[in-house]
Amino acid sequence: MKKICSLTFFLLVFISVKGQNLNEHWRPDFHFSPEKNWTNDPNGLIFLDGEYHLFYQFNPFENKWGHMSWGHAVSKDLIKWEHLPVAIPEDSVWIFSGSTVIDKNNSSGLDNGNGNCMVAIYTADYHNGKKEAQYLAYSNDKGRTWEKYAGNPVLDLNAKDFRDPNVFWHEKTKQWIMSVVLPTEYKVLFYGSPNLKNWNKLEEFGNQGDVRKIWECPSLTQFAVDGDSTKTKWLLMVSSNGPEQDFAGVQYFIGDFDGKSFKNDNTPDTKLYVDYGKDFYASIPWNNATQNQKLMLGWMLNWKYAENQPTFPWKGQMSVPRQIALKTFPEGVRLTQLPVEQFTPADSYRFFEKKDFVHTKEKLLNGSTLFAKNAYIIEADLTIKSSRDFGFKIAQNLNKEGKATQETIVGYDVKKQQLYLDRTNSGKIISPDFASVDKTFLKIDNKRLRLKIVVDKMSVEVFANDGAVAITSLIFPDPKATAFSLFCKKGKIKVNSLKIWDLSKK
Ligand code: FRU
């Protein structure tokens, strides 16, 4: 009897694991995903000695949220990631989101003489629902091994919800600055410290912008607006409600920060969103990046249906690393974002280019068979001649007659001045509210639309007009759905240039 039971158990496990394995075809080729098990937020993004470090919320044991620890990976180019062992494991507390800094001058006294001590500032969640407090851990070997600081916590309000510290060095006031949230009060608190261990409250900012959902994962970053170092502004990002009611997303504020308080440039009711898709959350900037590069990364999923992501043996992945900037628009200073340049070099990857042609109706792209792996980047510069609705249809499943039975549409509706991503027929619908058309207003000048579309098996990220707007959405197409077309409903468009880079794993 015992033998039969264990055989049945073995068969059940075997069948279910086998069934789940079929989902490897959705594994991203050039976006980060853990080898196995669950991830959510990116944590502690930092650059040190030629390596980009990505720490991330990780469950080392299961393919669902829990046992939160910091996973770890490094990359030299932000494209290929090397998986490293868990950096900061759970113990009596769970290791929630946070940031890392390089304590060059050993202000904390935690450096053992290297001059590049990496200090992680994270939230310890007491997983009894009673308390969250801020902790330190440190590494003297470039993030390979970590010690938890013996004097933890370094900041404790005895609050149930108090999390996601993001820290940077503020040169002007010569102190570390931490942004951290009281999620249910819709508040970011700012603290200052000379040594990362003792923190003094400076000011707080909150109850502005979007307050439909709790606030999480704040970050504060200074920018030279339009690249002009005499015009500086600060970007305050906060994960909260996104543009769509009930769906988490990331909002931002633009303003000034004097080392103590943040002043919003816009009216308190102005709502600015980082991304108009449903699958971009918990984004934070990279500390210490080279050549004044400003980079960020977000988690590509939405809490609303995250547990339903039908992938095994992993669940959760990061967005493409994005180069971010602040630019002046008629409505004010706004955030722009584009995939980092190394994804689209002129001279590598399999590449396709076509210039100056007029397009009508719907056509499979000539190069389409070259890129039939759903892992590519399209860059298009289009001029509207008379069309009312045009764009790309990707991850198409074509039947014998050449008709699409499945597709994701990235288009521009000329009359409504709307950029949209339609995933209503994109493949597996993983929850009742997954089938949606995500959209944003986009005014275009000179009838010209420039698009960058990043496709990687189970995700589509759209950037329009040099990153003025972004839409990020997951899709779960059939493995055979790899065709793509350029479409144009009524009238014509002129294709000034069309470039495609194949980023699929060979
Ligand atoms: C955001 C978040 C953070 C928290 C972490 C826990 O997605 O809820 O506020 O630190 O995830 O995994």
Side-chain angles (χ1 to χ4, degrees):
M1 182 64 186
K2 210 172 160 201
K3 258 192 186 158
I4 295 174
C5 279
S6 40
L7 183 67
T8 320
F9 176 73
F10 172 78
L11 279 175
L12 281 175
V13 169
F14 179 75
I15 290 163
S16 73
V17 166
K18 215 168 167 244
Q20 290 183 352
N21 260 338
L22 295 175
N23 298 326
E24 269 290 330
H25 66 261
W26 284 317
R27 166 82 72 181
D29 271 359
F30 59 97
H31 285 73
F32 175 82
S33 62
E35 282 177 304
K36 59 175 190 169
N37 296 336
W38 166 276
T39 185
N40 52 288
D41 315 356
N43 295 148
L45 304 178
I46 193 131
F47 181 79
L48 179 65
D49 293 345
E51 285 182 328
Y52 292 93
H53 291 259
L54 160 60
F55 300 94
Y56 52 92
Q57 285 290 278
F58 185 51
N59 182 344
F61 308 108
E62 296 160 292
N63 202 17
K64 61 179 191 190
W65 190 82
H67 298 283
M68 296 326 290
S69 301
W70 276 25
H72 188 197
V74 287
S75 173
K76 291 200 162 50
D77 57 6
L78 293 168
I79 301 174
K80 288 183 212 82
W81 291 96
E82 181 191 342
H83 297 278
L84 294 174
V86 168
I88 313 181
E90 64 164 338
D91 47 30
S92 58
V93 296
W94 280 359
I95 316 299
F96 270 21
S97 288
S99 51
T100 57
V101 294
I102 304 299
D103 187 10
K104 270 192 279 195
N105 299 324
N106 195 18
S107 67
S108 61
L110 297 170
D111 191 302
N112 68 2
N114 281 327
N116 62 9
C117 182
M118 203 182 266
V119 182
I121 307 98
Y122 60 89
T123 297
D125 179 273
Y126 288 58
H127 57 92
N128 53 11
K130 291 215 175 96
K131 193 160 104 164
E132 292 178 340
Q134 315 322 320
Y135 277 37
L136 300 185
Y138 56 99
S139 166
N140 276 296
D141 58 0
K142 300 186 184 177
R144 268 46 181 195
T145 57
W146 289 82
E147 289 285 327
K148 288 172 182 157
Y149 171 54
N152 282 330
V154 291
L155 181 56
D156 182 3
L157 302 182
N158 258 311
K160 181 172 168 293
D161 289 290
F162 176 44
R163 60 179 176 266
D164 307 339
N166 200 278
V167 177
F168 66 94
W169 177 254
H170 189 245
E171 188 52 40
K172 231 180 190 167
T173 57
K174 301 252 179 289
Q175 62 179 333
W176 299 102
I177 300 283
M178 178 198 292
S179 322
V180 56
V181 282
L182 289 175
T184 54
E185 295 179 31
Y186 317 106
K187 268 187 195 164
V188 181
L189 310 187
F190 300 112
Y191 286 84
S193 170
N195 56 12
L196 298 166
K197 293 172 173 168
N198 307 102
W199 292 93
N200 319 305
K201 172 124 186 252
L202 302 167
E203 283 285 347
E204 51 188 58
F205 171 84
N207 285 292
Q208 302 198 27
D210 197 321
V211 292
R212 286 176 292 173
K213 257 195 192 322
I214 57 163
W215 283 19
E216 300 184 312
C217 304
S219 69
L220 188 60
T221 317
Q222 190 178 24
F223 285 81
V225 179
D226 305 319
D228 177 349
S229 57
T230 63
K231 289 198 291 183
T232 59
K233 281 283 169 201
W234 291 78
L235 169 76
L236 176 63
M237 276 198 293
V238 181
S239 291
S240 56
N241 204 105
E244 294 286 331
Q245 176 71 29
D246 289 340
F247 285 89
V250 188
Q251 64 171 322
Y252 70 93
F253 302 90
I254 305 285
D256 294 312
F257 179 72
D258 58 3
K260 198 166 180 230
S261 64
F262 176 82
K263 298 252 164 350
N264 187 0
D265 272 3
N266 295 291
T267 56
D269 60 340
T270 306
K271 295 176 184 59
L272 303 173
Y273 298 103
V274 172
D275 195 291
Y276 286 86
K278 299 222 173 69
D279 298 305
F280 189 79
Y281 194 68
S283 54
I284 52 167
W286 237 285
N287 271 344
N288 216 31
T290 46
Q291 299 149 354
N292 283 327
Q293 257 189 327
K294 302 281 186 199
L295 305 174
M296 75 164 170
L297 195 70
W299 175 47
M300 247 191 334
L301 203 53
N302 199 300
W303 278 117
K304 182 122 188 188
Y305 44 69
E307 297 273 358
N308 297 352
Q309 177 171 312
T311 56
F312 180 85
W314 90 101
K315 217 173 267 199
Q317 49 285 313
M318 300 303 159
S319 71
V320 75
R322 301 178 183 183
Q323 176 93 41
I324 49 176
L326 294 189
K327 287 195 189 146
T328 311
F329 288 85
E331 57 276 24
V333 174
R334 297 288 183 265
L335 176 70
T336 65
Q337 53 191 307
L338 282 172
V340 286
E341 280 169 0
Q342 52 265 44
F343 283 94
T344 49
D347 54 356
S348 67
Y349 303 118
R350 201 138 50 141
F351 181 69
F352 166 90
E353 182 165 18
K354 212 168 169 204
K355 273 191 192 154
D356 296 324
F357 62 99
V358 171
H359 190 80
T360 51
K361 301 204 179 122
E362 182 165 334
K363 262 182 221 148
L364 270 188
L365 285 171
N366 270 345
S368 159
T369 47
L370 274 181
F371 304 100
K373 290 213 170 138
N374 278 356
Y376 51 83
I377 298 186
I378 303 176
E379 193 180 277
D381 180 342
L382 311 167
T383 301
I384 307 165
K385 288 290 181 197
S386 48
S387 174
R388 292 217 216 114
D389 193 353
F390 61 92
F392 291 88
K393 296 189 173 180
I394 51 194
Q396 290 185 298
N397 205 358
L398 302 178
N399 65 15
K400 282 198 190 107
E401 289 78 51
K403 273 223 159 325
T405 54
Q406 205 178 84
E407 62 190 8
T408 298
I409 310 172
V410 175
Y412 186 75
D413 182 321
V414 179
K415 207 160 170 206
K416 293 189 185 147
Q417 303 188 82
Q418 246 175 23
L419 180 76
Y420 65 88
L421 192 155
D422 179 347
R423 66 174 178 188
T424 50
N425 186 24
S426 58
K428 197 170 169 61
I429 300 301
I430 66 169
S431 79
D433 32 27
F434 183 81
S436 62
V437 182
D438 295 322
K439 49 193 172 300
T440 174
F441 176 75
L442 176 68
K443 203 166 157 37
I444 58 179
D445 299 326
N446 309 323
K447 302 196 155 204
R448 202 148 176 185
L449 178 68
R450 288 180 302 283
L451 286 176
K452 233 178 197 180
I453 307 174
V454 180
V455 180
D456 192 4
K457 302 287 161 84
M458 51 172 287
S459 66
V460 183
E461 291 160 277
V462 184
F463 303 88
N465 284 2
D466 308 316
V469 291
I471 303 182
T472 301
S473 303
L474 294 187
I475 54 170
F476 297 96
D478 188 278
K480 293 195 294 293
T482 56
F484 62 95
S485 320
L486 184 58
F487 78 95
C488 178
K489 270 195 210 150
K490 301 209 174 104
K492 294 177 187 166
I493 49 164
K494 167 136 187 281
V495 180
N496 305 311
S497 91
L498 173 64
K499 298 178 180 171
I500 308 168
W501 287 262
D502 177 14
L503 281 110
S504 64
K505 274 194 185 139
K506 298 293 171 301

